[in-house]
Amino acid sequence: MVVMAGDNATASEIALRCRADLVASGEVSRDGVRTSTGTVGVGDEIVTLRNDRQLRASPDTFVRNGDRWRVTDTLADGSLRVASMNERHAATHPPSEVIVPAAYVREHVALGYALTVHKAQGTTTDRAVVIVDESMTAPQLYVAMTRGRQENHALVVTSDRSPEDHGHLPSVDAVELLGGVMRRDTADLSAHDVLRRGLATSESVKFLRELSAEADQFITRGAPPNHTRQIELLIPRADVERAVSRLTEAEAAVGNAQARREDASGAVSETQRQTLRARLPGRAGEQARSEAANSRVNATIELNAARRGESDAMRAFVVARHDLDEAKRSAGELADLQGVEADRQRWLGDHREEVRWASDLHVRLEARTAERNRPAEGRSRPEVSTERGAGATPQRFPRSVRDTSVETKRELHEPLERRRLHQRGREFEPEYPAPPKPMPAPAREAGGPSLGR
């Protein structure tokens, strides 16, 4: 069971009351070690408030922020021997203990009977109880009411008077207070949040790009690095059980290869001895000696093959032993990276608004960029053509040229002073009458001029 409150003061007060009741019933030791929030003794449930990778309860787990423990012993120097109460660890590991040093106990240990809603994120128990007052927000209430598997209870504080004061009426109805909490989307907004809401409707690509870079930089600085890809690559390499099985098989193969080589060596030694039949003269002795020679050749071939098999088995054994060492190293590295990834996910869970803001900026920036880069549909582009006779092909010019008149192009390329002089000269240019058109030539006769006329 877990009890939650919206602020540290209320959670600490409830935790101290719970401990006093447990001390009175004899379930928890009265004396113990002093912490920043009170006394912790044998039997107490505590919660650790800071990650410390040097404090390991097992090779693949370490003391994390928000972990719950039960005190099993108090040491003279102020340190504590504690056993893990985390369900995610107990599901796959036997109960493990760790000694928490005195310096950590004084600064980063608190009683675990009551937690703030923030500290309870990620915790799942059979029953959960939350103290609801008028300062709680809707997100806090949602988190608190989803911690229990079987039961979730909300105790609504309607008055700050003592329960024994029967003559005092509640200042507000419980249902009304709950309604106000559920309508309260968040706590008082910071200046940054107010600015963010004001900029939420901006559609400038440049401005969205700057905001997106700022949001990504905030997450990069605050959250632990993302090791998802490294974890995916390490998982198949960190299979220690498979590596041990391969090493066992390789060791058995070496034993079989050595036995085969010893048998083959013994067979070669047997063929070296000359039998009585091979010493006989004549055809019988010659046949016996030929059979002995064939036997020696076959035994030598088998011995060479056995030696090669033994060498191959030894190489496979060396490889399997190296793979086992590599698997153990990868398993340790995988455990560390998974711890970092868990811290990252916890950080992202604690900063959901910042993560949602960065994601929204990415979506809006992509949409605005795509919209700006999309060409306008149905826009006709004028063409400039020069007629060079029948069937001439229209000449296409770049858009900057075909959308600009001759006078405009000349003004773009002429210096400013020259344009001014040109314009001034045109204003005072007198008008002259157009020159007369030339007279047409007389038509010639078909036979040419006659000299006799």
Side-chain angles (χ1 to χ4, degrees):
M1 183 177 114
V2 61
V3 179
M4 292 162 287
D7 58 279
N8 288 317
T10 305
S12 298
E13 183 179 355
I14 295 173
L16 291 175
R17 290 187 181 184
C18 291
R19 186 178 192 279
D21 293 340
L22 293 174
V23 169
S25 63
E27 299 180 35
V28 173
S29 174
R30 181 181 299 275
D31 300 326
V33 176
R34 293 290 300 174
T35 67
S36 59
T37 58
T39 302
V40 173
V42 176
D44 273 323
E45 296 181 13
I46 64 171
V47 59
T48 49
L49 305 178
R50 193 183 72 171
N51 295 337
D52 194 329
R53 297 182 180 278
Q54 303 299 323
L55 303 178
R56 290 190 171 271
S58 64
D60 57 344
T61 59
F62 58 89
V63 174
R64 290 185 171 92
N65 177 25
D67 282 351
R68 302 180 70 186
W69 310 81
R70 186 178 299 280
V71 180
T72 58
D73 193 13
T74 58
L75 305 182
D77 61 351
S79 56
L80 298 176
R81 187 188 301 275
V82 296
S84 175
M85 296 179 61
N86 295 323
E87 296 184 1
R88 67 173 184 271
H89 181 271
T92 56
H93 298 77
S96 56
E97 293 188 346
V98 64
I99 295 179
V100 183
Y104 187 98
V105 172
R106 285 193 300 268
E107 300 294 333
H108 309 295
V109 167
L111 291 171
Y113 301 115
L115 305 174
T116 62
V117 176
H118 176 73
K119 290 295 181 185
Q121 288 187 3
T123 302
T124 304
T125 60
D126 291 337
R127 293 181 297 169
V129 178
V130 57
I131 308 300
V132 182
D133 58 15
E134 58 185 6
S135 64
M136 184 168 286
T137 63
Q140 288 180 315
L141 181 62
Y142 172 79
V143 171
M145 293 298 290
T146 55
R147 299 305 93 195
R149 298 190 192 91
Q150 301 175 2
E151 300 178 11
N152 289 279
H153 299 275
L155 304 183
V156 182
V157 180
T158 58
S159 174
D160 56 357
R161 297 293 186 90
S162 171
E164 286 77 14
D165 190 358
H166 300 290
H168 176 72
L169 295 176
S171 58
V172 64
D173 182 70
V175 176
E176 181 181 351
L177 191 147
L178 275 177
V181 169
M182 287 187 284
R183 287 190 297 270
R184 191 176 300 116
D185 180 52
T186 183
D188 294 337
L189 295 176
S190 64
H192 185 75
D193 293 332
V194 173
L195 178 62
R196 177 183 298 173
R197 291 195 173 187
L199 300 176
T201 58
S202 175
E203 296 300 330
S204 169
V205 174
K206 179 181 179 181
F207 197 54
L208 287 175
R209 187 177 293 112
E210 293 176 355
L211 290 177
S212 179
E214 178 186 354
D216 292 343
Q217 187 177 12
F218 173 79
I219 295 176
T220 301
R221 286 198 307 261
N226 187 359
H227 294 298
T228 304
R229 180 57 180 167
Q230 293 90 321
I231 291 175
E232 293 177 354
L233 295 176
L234 279 175
I235 287 177
R237 293 161 49 189
D239 193 347
V240 178
E241 294 182 0
R242 181 170 176 268
V244 170
S245 176
R246 291 180 58 185
L247 181 62
T248 303
E249 294 175 358
E251 188 175 3
V254 169
N256 295 334
Q258 289 176 346
R260 178 187 174 188
R261 190 257 306 160
E262 291 174 358
D263 293 342
S265 180
V268 171
S269 299
E270 286 291 334
T271 59
Q272 298 295 333
R273 292 197 298 266
Q274 191 174 18
T275 61
L276 293 176
R277 183 183 174 192
R279 296 177 183 177
L280 295 177
R283 182 174 297 177
E286 183 179 354
Q287 183 177 0
R289 288 190 292 274
S290 177
E291 293 174 356
N294 291 335
S295 298
R296 281 194 297 273
V297 171
N298 293 334
T300 302
I301 294 174
E302 174 62 22
L303 178 60
N304 293 334
R307 287 174 176 170
R308 289 193 299 271
E310 184 180 11
S311 298
D312 294 341
M314 288 298 297
R315 282 194 293 271
F317 176 78
V318 172
V319 171
R321 185 168 56 187
H322 176 270
D323 290 345
L324 177 58
D325 295 338
E326 182 67 18
K328 291 181 178 179
R329 186 194 63 79
S330 299
E333 184 178 355
L334 177 62
D336 292 339
L337 292 182
Q338 287 176 336
V340 174
E341 182 63 22
D343 294 341
R344 173 182 174 81
Q345 295 302 323
R346 189 177 293 108
W347 189 94
L348 295 178
D350 294 341
H351 299 79
R352 289 188 177 90
E353 290 298 326
E354 287 78 4
V355 175
R356 188 181 300 110
W357 169 249
S359 177
D360 178 65
L361 286 175
H362 290 167
V363 173
R364 291 167 57 193
L365 180 59
E366 291 178 2
R368 289 291 299 137
T369 303
E371 181 180 353
R372 189 179 67 172
N373 295 336
R374 187 183 304 116
E377 298 180 358
R379 179 182 298 173
S380 60
R381 296 182 177 181
E383 296 182 356
V384 179
S385 61
T386 303
E387 296 293 339
R388 295 186 178 179
T393 304
Q395 297 182 355
R396 297 180 179 272
F397 295 91
R399 180 174 180 177
S400 59
V401 175
R402 67 172 181 262
D403 289 349
T404 310
S405 64
V406 176
E407 290 293 328
T408 305
K409 288 187 290 182
R410 185 171 61 187
E411 290 178 2
L412 290 175
H413 294 288
E414 288 181 351
L416 178 61
E417 188 63 26
R418 187 175 178 181
R419 290 205 308 270
R420 290 176 178 174
L421 293 175
H422 179 73
Q423 183 67 23
R424 188 177 303 170
R426 292 183 60 183
E427 293 176 358
F428 296 97
E429 183 178 0
E431 295 184 359
Y432 294 99
K437 297 182 179 180
M439 297 295 293
R444 299 175 58 186
E445 297 178 3
S450 174
L451 298 177
R453 292 182 179 177

